[in-house]
Amino acid sequence: MNPVTDAGPPTDTPSTASPPQWLTDTERDAWMNLAQLLMLLPTALDQQLREDAGLPHAYYQILVALSSQPQRAIRMSQLARLSGTTPTRLSHAVASLEQRGWVTRQPCPEDKRGQVAHLTDAGMAVLRAAAPGHVAEVRHLVFDHLTDDDVTRLRDITAKLLPTLTRP
C-alpha cells in the first residue's frame, strides 16, 4: 500500500468528511522528485558558496535581492518576501551582514516604524566576487541538464506555484 496514493481515510475521520484526493502515480513521482530537489539543491548551493565565498546561500540571496533594487535599498518587510524568509530570520541575517559591513539599516523615511536595508559598496564587492562561482554551480546543477524549452516550462511552472507561497 502506498500511503500517498492509496491509503484509506484514518479511522477517526467522521464519515461525513470527503475522502482525500490522493495523488496519482504521475503526481506522486513528480512530487517525490520535487521534494528531493528542494532538499538537495539548497544544500549543494550553500556548500559551494560557503567553500568558495565564505557566506551561506541565505546571505547570498539577501545580497542579490538588495543589488536588484533602486539605490540597492528596500524595506526589510519587502526584503523578507523577496529573499523567501521570515522577518525574524531576515533580521538576524541582516544583523550579521551589518557586522561584516555589507549591509546597513536605517529608519524608513516615510514610516519611522519600518527599516530600510541598504547594500553597501563592500557588500556589492562580495556579491560580485561570489557570483561567478555561484552562477557556474547553478548552471552545472540545473541549466546544463535542461533544454531551452525545459527552462521556459520551469519558469512558467514556478511562476504558477510561487504566488501561493509568497502571499503577505
Side-chain angles (χ1 to χ4, degrees), residues 73-94:
I74 190 171
R75 286 183 65 108
M76 290 284 288
S77 57
Q78 293 171 295
L79 182 56
R81 282 192 290 281
L82 280 176
S83 56
T85 192
T86 65
T88 301
R89 285 186 180 169
L90 177 67
S91 184
H92 289 295
V94 169

Side-chain angles (χ1 to χ4, degrees), residues 118-149:
H118 180 268
L119 180 64
T120 66
D121 290 343
M124 191 66 184
V126 167
L127 182 59
R128 283 189 178 123
H134 179 67
V135 170
E137 189 72 355
V138 168
R139 187 165 294 290
H140 167 71
L141 294 173
V142 179
F143 294 107
D144 287 351
H145 307 281
L146 303 176
T147 66
D148 290 345
D149 287 343

Side-chain angles (χ1 to χ4, degrees), residues 60-133:
Y60 180 85
Q61 288 300 110
I62 292 166
L63 298 178
V64 167
L66 285 169
S67 75
S68 67
Q69 298 302 308
Q71 289 83 44
R72 301 187 316 215
I74 190 171
R75 286 183 65 108
M76 290 284 288
S77 57
Q78 293 171 295
L79 182 56
R81 282 192 290 281
L82 280 176
S83 56
T85 192
T86 65
T88 301
R89 285 186 180 169
L90 177 67
S91 184
H92 289 295
V94 169
S96 179
L97 294 169
E98 279 183 302
Q99 289 175 346
R100 297 173 190 208
W102 300 346
V103 173
T104 60
R105 279 187 277 193
Q106 290 112 20
C108 181
E110 300 89 29
D111 169 7
K112 298 297 181 197
R113 293 182 351 215
Q115 289 188 317
V116 174
H118 180 268
L119 180 64
T120 66
D121 290 343
M124 191 66 184
V126 167
L127 182 59
R128 283 189 178 123

